[in-house]
Amino acid sequence: MPDFNRRLLPLLGHSGGSRDAMTCLYRCGNACDHPAPNESDNPYLGDVVNAEMTRRGVVRAGAVGAMVLGFGGSALAAASPAMAAPVETAPLGGALGHGHRPQKAGRLTFETVAPNTLDQVTIPAGYRSSVVIRWGDPVVPGAPAFDVDNQTAAAQARQFGYNNDFVGVIPIPGCGGDRALLVVNHEYTNENLMFRGFTTLDALSVEQLKIAIAAHGLSVVEIERVGRTGEWKPVKSRKLRYNRRITALATEFQLTGPVAGSAVVKTAADPSGRIVIGTLNNCAGGVTPWGTVLSGEENFNQYFVGGDAVAADVKPKLNRYGISTTARYPSDSRKWDRAQERFDLAKHPNEANRFGWIVEVDPFDPEGRPRKHTAMGRFKHEGANVIVAKNGKVVAYMGDDERFDYLYKFVSDKKYIDSDSPWARKHNLTLLESGTLYVAKVTGDSDPAEIDGTGKLPTDGKFDGKGQWIKLVSGNTSFVPGMTAVDVLTFTRLAGDAVGATKMDRPEDVQPSLRTGKIYAAMTNNTNRGVGANAKPDEANPRNANKHGHIFEITEDRGDHTGLTFTWQLPIVCGDPAAADTYFGGYDKTAVSPISCPDNVAFDSAGNLWISTDGNALGSNDGLFATPIEGKERGHLRQFLTVPKGAETCGPFVTSDDRSVFVAVQHPGEITGASIDKPASVWPDGGFAKPGVVVTWRKDGGPIGS
C-alpha cells in the first residue's frame, strides 16, 4: 500500500509556482514531479532563429479584419427553449443588462487590491461580491440538501460538483437579460477535504469513490439577476428545465470526427467506439457563437492504472501522455478501478484514448448527449475558444497544459451560418466535427545570444518574432509522415513532436480579443526551462527556471485566422515588478501590481485583458488582474480581487453588459496537512472549505473595472 501521507511532502523542483503539494497530487497527479512527457529533440528556438537568420542573409544577398466572437463581451441569445441563437458579431453586449454600451477602450479606474493571505474574497472599494453556488448545493430538481456526513453518489450526481473551474454565462431568450444559464466545469476532487476521517485513498469505500467520480464533470444552473444590480443567484421559484449535472460516473458522451468508431477507441463495453461514459479533469473552456460550451479534458492520465500490462508498442504512447507504464498502481493513483473496472488499462487498454478531447455541451438541450470532437486533437486540453474568420469558417485556439508542450489551432471545414433559425443552429452544431488541425512553430527576431535566460530584454526592447502554423491533419488525411489521420488525432503530441513544434512554458487558456482579433495565451510557468538537459530559454520563453510565467500574444497575418503565418509578442512577463526579469508592455513598472502564474484570460467589452492566476509564487493569494492591452495604458496591470487561502482563481467571465464578473474559487484551503476535520480555510460558510462560484459587481451598477 503506498504511503499517502509521504506523497504530500513538499515537492522539490515542481513547476507549480507556490502551488501546494496537495494540489499537485490531486489536480494533476504530481505531473510536475515527474519528467516532462515531451522527450522529443525538437530544436529549441535559438537554433531555429540561427537557421532563419542565415536564410534571411541569403535572401537579402539575392535581392482587423475578423470580428472576435465567443467570450464574455459577446452577446448571446436563444431562439427557443432548445435553440440558442448565435452570438452577435459586434462587440456590443446587449443580451445581459439594460441599455448597455461598450466601455471606452482601456478605461480601468478601480482601486487596486493589495496582495494578501486572507481567508476571504477581497475586492476593490465600491464593489460587492457574493457566492452564487458552492459544492453540494442542489442543481437538479429534487436534489437533497448537502450533508457531508451522509453523502452518497446518487446525491452528488444531482448536486453542484467539486472544484469548479471554467465559468460560462449564457442568456436565456425572452428574459430581458435578467436570466441566464451558468455552465461550470468540475475539474477534480480532493478526498482529503471531502470525507471526514480520511486516511488513504485505499481506505475509501467504493461508495466514496463513486461520490468523487460523480463530483467530476459539469453543472448547468439557471440563474437570475438580483433586482437591477450585477448580482446573480440560482433560480429557485420555478421549474428548472435546463438544470443538469454531467458526471464522470454515468453521463453518455458521443465521439465525433475521424477517430469515432476506429479501433483505438473501441472497448468491450463499447464495441462501436462511439459512446464514452463521462468526462475527466475538465479545466477551462469557452462559449461558442451558436450557444454551446466547450470544455477541455486536461490531466486525464492520473485516473488510469494498469499501464504496466499493456502491449509494448502502446507504452510509448501512454508515456507521452503521462500515464505510467512501469507500475500497476502509480504512487498518485486514485484507485478508481475499484469502483469502475474501465479505469484498469490492463483490462481495457483503449479506455484512456477516450479522454483528452474537447467536449461540446449544449446547455439548452438537457437530454442531449454532450460530444467529444476528435477532429480537434487529443492532448491535455486547458480549453478551447472559437472565433469566426473572414471567410466564415470557425477557428478554435487551444493550449496543451504541460511543460514543453504546444499551441494548436483548428479550422473548420464548414462555414458558420449567422442565423437563429433551427436549421442554421443544426448546421452550426456540426462545425467542430471536421476540419484541419495545426500546431505552432515560432521564431524570434533577435540574436539568440541576447536571450541568456535572465529575462533581460533584447536590444530591440521587446520579446517578439514570427510564427507558422504547421498542418498536422485535415479530415482523414495526415500530413505527418508515418502517422495516419487517426494516429495524429489520437496521439497529437507525438505528431507535434514529429513536425518540430515549439516547446512552450505550459500553454494554458487561449482567448481572442473581441476588439482587435489578436489571440492571447497564458504561459503559466516552467521551472525546468533551461535546467539540466531541458530545452534552453528562447525569445518566446525567455527565462530559465520560469516560475512566474508570461502572456503570449498572436497577431495573425492580414487578420486571417485561417492563415498559416503570424507575428507574436510577449506583452507581459510576470513576477515582481521590481525585479529586472519582468516586463509590462513598456509601462512604468512602479505603477503595476505583482502577478505570478497566469492561468486563464478573458476580455471585457472595452478590450481590457483580465488574467486569473494559479500558484502565485510571490507569497500571496491568487487573484484576478486586469490591464489595457492597446494604447498608452498597455501593460498597466492592476489586481482586482484575491481569493481565499489555498485557493486558485478560475474563470473568469465578464458578462456582455460589463456589470458582473464571475470567478470560480477552486480548492480553497488545499494546503498540506489540512483536512475536512482540520481545515486550512473555512470559506465561504465556516466549518470547512467549499469550492464555489463568486460574482462581483459595482455598487452603483456601473461597468466592472471602469
Side-chain angles (χ1 to χ4, degrees):
M1 179 183 296
D3 184 349
F4 184 83
N5 291 322
R6 184 175 181 272
R7 295 200 307 277
L8 289 182
L9 292 175
L11 303 176
L12 297 176
H14 75 82
S15 69
S18 66
R19 179 186 285 177
D20 191 85
M22 184 186 284
T23 305
C24 291
L25 170 67
Y26 282 111
R27 183 175 184 180
C28 59
N30 285 335
C32 294
D33 195 38
H34 301 296
N38 190 350
E39 297 180 349
S40 68
D41 58 357
N42 292 355
Y44 82 99
L45 188 56
D47 293 336
V48 177
V49 173
N50 281 329
E52 176 66 10
M53 291 177 70
T54 301
R55 186 194 67 80
R56 289 178 183 173
V58 172
V59 171
R60 290 193 189 98
V64 150
M67 188 60 65
V68 179
L69 308 177
F71 189 67
S74 302
L76 187 68
S80 71
M83 293 290 176
V87 174
E88 295 176 1
T89 57
L92 304 173
L96 289 173
H98 307 273
H100 165 66
R101 293 182 179 180
Q103 301 181 58
K104 294 181 179 179
R107 247 187 104 189
L108 287 173
T109 61
F110 63 86
E111 181 178 314
T112 301
V113 169
N116 63 74
T117 56
L118 301 173
D119 191 28
Q120 64 184 44
V121 174
T122 305
I123 57 176
Y127 286 79
R128 289 181 178 172
S129 183
S130 67
V131 177
V132 181
I133 192 167
R134 82 271 289 156
W135 172 45
D137 284 353
V139 170
V140 179
F146 180 62
D147 182 351
V148 72
D149 295 311
N150 295 283
Q151 183 71 319
T152 66
Q156 180 64 85
R158 305 173 76 182
Q159 299 163 339
F160 196 69
Y162 202 77
N163 272 341
N164 31 228
D165 197 299
F166 169 75
V167 176
V169 181
I170 306 175
I172 296 175
C175 296
D178 290 333
R179 292 181 195 152
L181 296 182
L182 175 73
V183 185
V184 180
N185 287 352
H186 301 294
E187 185 176 5
Y188 72 99
T189 51
N190 182 330
E191 285 76 351
N192 272 65
L193 305 181
M194 293 176 68
F195 301 114
R196 294 196 190 278
F198 176 89
T199 55
T200 67
L201 290 169
D202 295 279
L204 293 177
S205 68
V206 170
E207 180 68 13
Q208 287 174 316
L209 291 173
K210 289 183 177 180
I211 291 170
I213 300 173
H216 284 65
L218 297 94
S219 291
V220 180
V221 182
E222 186 175 345
I223 59 174
E224 60 185 352
R225 188 186 301 275
V226 177
R228 298 180 70 85
T229 71
E231 183 178 14
W232 294 78
K233 291 185 176 180
V235 173
K236 298 183 182 297
S237 60
R238 63 183 60 82
K239 182 179 179 181
L240 302 172
R241 55 182 171 175
Y242 299 124
N243 279 30
R244 182 182 190 184
R245 271 304 321 281
I246 294 168
T247 75
L249 186 65
T251 305
E252 290 188 347
F253 286 73
Q254 179 181 347
L255 288 173
T256 75
V259 180
S262 68
V264 294
V265 290
K266 291 181 178 180
T267 65
D270 175 32
S272 72
R274 296 183 181 274
I275 303 298
V276 179
I277 300 300
T279 184
L280 295 174
N281 211 260
N282 299 73
C283 199
V287 177
T288 69
W290 50 95
T292 62
V293 166
L294 303 182
S295 175
E297 295 185 312
E298 193 181 23
N299 294 297
F300 63 90
N301 55 297
Q302 63 180 302
Y303 301 93
F304 293 95
V305 304
D308 61 322
V310 302
D313 62 333
V314 175
K315 289 184 177 182
K317 298 173 182 177
L318 293 181
N319 288 334
R320 186 62 180 88
Y321 283 82
I323 297 175
S324 173
T325 59
T326 59
R328 171 163 174 74
Y329 287 106
S331 62
D332 43 35
S333 170
R334 290 174 172 270
K335 308 299 178 64
W336 279 12
D337 60 305
R338 293 199 291 121
Q340 293 188 336
E341 185 185 271
R342 64 193 175 106
F343 293 105
D344 185 353
L345 298 179
K347 299 177 180 178
H348 305 283
N350 285 343
E351 188 68 22
N353 297 337
R354 294 149 67 85
F355 297 89
W357 306 103
I358 288 294
V359 172
E360 184 173 14
V361 175
D362 184 354
F364 292 95
D365 184 10
E367 302 300 325
R369 280 179 180 155
R371 292 169 296 153
K372 298 190 180 189
H373 292 307
T374 68
M376 300 178 76
R378 175 176 167 267
F379 42 90
K380 291 186 179 181
H381 286 279
E382 173 74 13
N385 284 278
V386 303
I387 61 176
V388 177
K390 292 177 180 179
N391 64 3
K393 292 188 175 184
V394 167
V395 182
Y397 292 87
M398 303 170 286
D400 186 350
D401 184 9
E402 189 90 63
R403 297 164 295 164
F404 305 114
D405 260 296
Y406 311 133
L407 282 170
Y408 298 86
K409 83 171 179 181
F410 169 85
V411 178
S412 67
D413 286 336
K414 301 177 184 177
K415 295 183 178 181
Y416 170 69
I417 298 177
D418 187 4
S419 169
D420 59 4
S421 67
W423 67 268
R425 190 162 193 272
K426 182 178 180 181
H427 165 85
N428 291 334
L429 284 167
T430 69
L431 290 175
L432 303 180
E433 295 181 359
S434 63
T436 303
L437 183 65
Y438 301 86
V439 68
K441 186 173 185 176
V442 303
T443 60
D445 66 359
S446 300
D447 185 337
E450 293 190 78
I451 311 301
D452 60 6
T454 66
K456 179 183 177 181
L457 286 170
T459 53
D460 66 357
K462 54 188 175 182
F463 298 112
D464 62 349
K466 297 182 178 181
Q468 63 182 107
W469 294 109
I470 303 174
K471 187 184 294 187
L472 297 176
V473 62
S474 185
N476 289 307
T477 301
S478 167
F479 294 88
V480 181
M483 299 183 74
T484 67
V486 168
D487 290 338
V488 170
L489 293 171
T490 309
F491 308 107
T492 309
R493 284 182 165 182
L494 293 171
D497 297 345
V499 300
T502 300
K503 298 179 178 181
M504 306 296 287
D505 284 355
R506 282 189 61 202
E508 295 209 38
D509 200 14
V510 189
Q511 291 273 3
S513 164
L514 78 157
R515 280 187 175 265
T516 67
K518 295 180 180 180
I519 312 301
Y520 294 82
M523 303 293 155
T524 295
N525 53 44
N526 183 358
T527 56
N528 281 8
R529 172 70 65 175
V531 176
N534 291 304
K536 300 176 183 179
D538 53 48
E539 197 162 352
N541 306 277
R543 292 185 295 190
N544 286 325
N546 177 16
K547 64 180 179 179
H548 296 302
H550 52 276
I551 301 295
F552 189 79
E553 176 189 79
I554 294 173
T555 303
E556 297 278 24
D557 287 349
R558 299 172 300 281
D560 180 8
H561 293 92
T562 68
L564 299 181
T565 58
F566 58 90
T567 58
W568 62 267
Q569 289 191 35
L570 303 187
I572 297 176
V573 180
C574 300
D576 183 348
D581 67 345
T582 58
Y583 176 73
F584 293 85
Y587 199 83
D588 178 5
K589 293 204 297 180
T590 66
V592 304
S593 294
I595 182 173
S596 177
C597 302
D599 188 347
N600 301 122
V601 289
F603 288 92
D604 58 27
S605 71
N608 295 307
L609 176 67
W610 293 73
I611 307 169
S612 64
T613 65
D614 168 22
N616 189 334
L618 293 171
S620 58
N621 290 353
D622 279 313
L624 179 64
F625 302 76
T627 179
I629 208 66
E630 300 288 331
K632 296 185 300 182
E633 290 286 292
R634 175 177 167 95
H636 188 183
L637 183 88
R638 305 181 187 190
Q639 183 153 1
F640 180 77
L641 62 73
T642 58
V643 292
K645 292 167 58 177
E648 167 192 346
T649 317
C650 297
F653 192 97
V654 183
T655 56
S656 57
D657 61 3
D658 292 311
R659 293 171 61 194
S660 312
V661 58
F662 290 77
V663 298
V665 178
Q666 192 185 84
H667 59 76
E670 194 166 64
I671 297 172
T672 298
S675 68
I676 196 169
D677 303 300
K678 296 181 180 179
S681 168
V682 295
W683 185 89
D685 304 317
F688 56 90
K690 297 179 183 177
V693 175
V694 171
V695 63
T696 301
W697 68 98
R698 267 175 53 167
K699 292 180 181 179
D700 62 7
I704 290 288
S706 68

